[in-house]
Amino acid sequence: MHYNKMSEKDSYMVFSGTNTRYLAEKICQSLGCNLGQLVITKFSDGEFAVSYEESIRGRDIFLVQSTFPNSDNLMELLLMIDAAKRASARTINAVIPYFGWARQDRKDKPRVSIGAKLVADLLSVAGIDRLITMDLHADQIQGFFDVPVDHLYASGVILPYLQSLQLDNLVIASPDVGGSKRANTYAKYLGCPLVLCNKTRARANVIASMQIIGDVKDKNVVIIDDMVDTAGTITKAADIMKEAGAKTVRACASHCVMSGPASERVQNSSLEEIVFTDSIPYSNRCAKVKQLSVADMFAETIRRVINNESISSQYLV
């Protein structure tokens, strides 16, 4: 009896949840494959069910879904994983460009949950064989998983963009001490000085005070962060740097959370522009927001995973 060996194209399939379809389509375009057929049926009470509309038996399945709020995105992904496992997929690879709940990575005060660990456990129990993600809020979240984690960096698309601007007297800034390692990596790569902002918080999302450590006078400043939520920190940092004599202030961040008053704050701030990746969709029209696509980067990683090739050569820094 002769068995037809699957070609590389046939051996894997890419599927997407509802709200990350825009990115999954771009990833498929880059891979030169079709986005898999999956139907998510919504019931009137808000519950939903997932069903694959084509056979996935013996295939390597890549499920593209960022887990930004609300929780439906995470729940959709969990059901997609469970359905794939029950439909005899060979491997199930979760592609999560933005990993939600990542800010809850430790107990920072008594009697709180560690949401990032809980989400890691949920994904593992659902049945993933691998996680492909980008710029986790804290690197140690990789250790919450017992499966391989391919951790990509948005610097792969942000650094070439910054170089294309050809800014003179460039200074890289971190909006807080916690992000200094990330900002220092950018500063080293671009061969320019690093400036820090020291902030104290009154409570979550509310800043009490901020000071600049370093010289920004007559400099073109680029603030580097991993995500921008309410944009309070980044706009305050930009305004303070402008007051301290900075020539221009830009910001670059991996994930465009941009909730609540964020768009309005950015529009009214001293920022020239704020650059994100498209790991999260952004619908509010703010003239200062620019999104760079990470679709090619994720597509190349999927290609290398399928072919058992190293992905480390993809990293610029």
Side-chain angles (χ1 to χ4, degrees), residues 119-238:
V119 171
D121 288 346
L122 288 168
L123 291 166
S124 301
V125 169
I128 64 166
D129 296 292
R130 173 184 297 273
L131 170 68
I132 302 173
T133 188
M134 181 180 77
D135 278 4
L136 289 165
H137 186 65
D139 285 350
Q140 68 267 21
I141 292 171
Q142 295 172 64
F144 293 175
F145 289 88
D146 290 328
V147 297
V149 176
D150 293 322
H151 187 214
L152 308 182
Y153 298 104
S155 54
V157 293
I158 292 172
L159 279 169
Y161 175 74
L162 288 178
Q163 286 173 311
S164 76
L165 296 174
Q166 298 183 323
L167 298 167
D168 55 350
N169 291 330
L170 180 63
V171 165
I172 294 293
S174 172
D176 51 35
V177 176
S180 58
K181 187 183 167 200
R182 181 182 297 103
N184 186 44
T185 309
Y186 276 73
K188 263 184 169 165
Y189 184 85
L190 295 166
C192 63
L194 176 68
V195 165
L196 295 179
C197 292
N198 182 36
K199 70 176 177 190
T200 52
R201 280 198 189 278
R203 57 182 186 279
N205 289 339
V206 180
I207 300 148
S209 67
M210 186 180 277
Q211 303 87 34
I212 302 170
I213 305 165
D215 178 31
V216 294
K217 191 166 169 51
D218 300 326
K219 301 283 198 288
N220 288 306
V221 182
V222 177
I223 305 168
I224 301 292
D225 209 351
D226 68 320
M227 67 170 74
V228 173
D229 186 351
T230 58
T233 302
I234 216 129
T235 52
K236 193 175 175 83

Side-chain angles (χ1 to χ4, degrees), residues 8-294:
E8 181 205 299
K9 266 278 168 57
D10 296 330
S11 71
Y12 73 92
M13 296 171 87
V14 180
F15 293 88
S16 165
T18 309
N19 291 322
T20 313
R21 193 180 171 96
Y22 69 97
L23 184 56
E25 283 171 349
K26 286 191 266 186
I27 290 172
C28 286
Q29 208 176 344
S30 185
L31 283 167
C33 69
N34 294 323
L35 185 60
Q37 311 239 324
L38 176 121
V39 170
I40 296 170
T41 312
K42 302 249 179 202
F43 301 108
S44 65
D45 65 348
E47 195 180 307
F48 44 86
V50 166
S51 89
Y52 291 91
E53 297 296 290
E54 52 191 315
S55 173
I56 58 172
R57 186 178 291 273
R59 307 290 180 91
D60 295 318
I61 301 302
F62 291 86
L63 305 175
V64 182
Q65 181 82 316
S66 283
T67 54
F68 51 91
N70 65 30
S71 337
D72 282 6
N73 292 309
L74 173 61
M75 195 64 200
E76 262 186 25
L77 178 58
L78 293 170
L79 291 174
M80 284 156 67
I81 295 162
D82 186 65
K85 181 172 69 177
R86 295 174 192 280
S88 303
R90 190 165 76 128
T91 63
I92 302 165
N93 306 275
V95 181
I96 308 179
Y98 170 71
F99 187 92
W101 284 269
R103 281 173 282 186
Q104 300 177 46
D105 61 311
R106 67 199 185 284
K107 280 185 72 171
D108 54 354
K109 60 181 184 186
R111 299 175 295 281
V112 294
S113 63
I114 303 181
K117 172 62 175 153
L118 175 62
V119 171
D121 288 346
L122 288 168
L123 291 166
S124 301
V125 169
I128 64 166
D129 296 292
R130 173 184 297 273
L131 170 68
I132 302 173
T133 188
M134 181 180 77
D135 278 4
L136 289 165
H137 186 65
D139 285 350
Q140 68 267 21
I141 292 171
Q142 295 172 64
F144 293 175
F145 289 88
D146 290 328
V147 297
V149 176
D150 293 322
H151 187 214
L152 308 182
Y153 298 104
S155 54
V157 293
I158 292 172
L159 279 169
Y161 175 74
L162 288 178
Q163 286 173 311
S164 76
L165 296 174
Q166 298 183 323
L167 298 167
D168 55 350
N169 291 330
L170 180 63
V171 165
I172 294 293
S174 172
D176 51 35
V177 176
S180 58
K181 187 183 167 200
R182 181 182 297 103
N184 186 44
T185 309
Y186 276 73
K188 263 184 169 165
Y189 184 85
L190 295 166
C192 63
L194 176 68
V195 165
L196 295 179
C197 292
N198 182 36
K199 70 176 177 190
T200 52
R201 280 198 189 278
R203 57 182 186 279
N205 289 339
V206 180
I207 300 148
S209 67
M210 186 180 277
Q211 303 87 34
I212 302 170
I213 305 165
D215 178 31
V216 294
K217 191 166 169 51
D218 300 326
K219 301 283 198 288
N220 288 306
V221 182
V222 177
I223 305 168
I224 301 292
D225 209 351
D226 68 320
M227 67 170 74
V228 173
D229 186 351
T230 58
T233 302
I234 216 129
T235 52
K236 193 175 175 83
D239 294 344
I240 287 172
M241 283 171 185
K242 211 63 173 148
E243 283 163 26
K247 194 168 158 191
T248 63
V249 186
R250 285 175 172 75
C252 295
S254 314
H255 306 297
C256 182
V257 180
M258 294 289 278
S259 65
S263 296
E264 199 181 326
R265 280 178 178 169
V266 167
Q267 194 60 50
N268 299 332
S269 73
S270 313
L271 287 167
E272 298 281 316
E273 65 174 350
I274 184 161
V275 179
F276 295 105
T277 73
D278 56 352
S279 62
I280 299 176
Y282 178 67
S283 52
N284 292 347
R285 288 283 149 252
C286 172
K288 292 185 178 182
V289 172
K290 181 182 177 67
Q291 280 188 299
L292 307 172
S293 186
V294 286

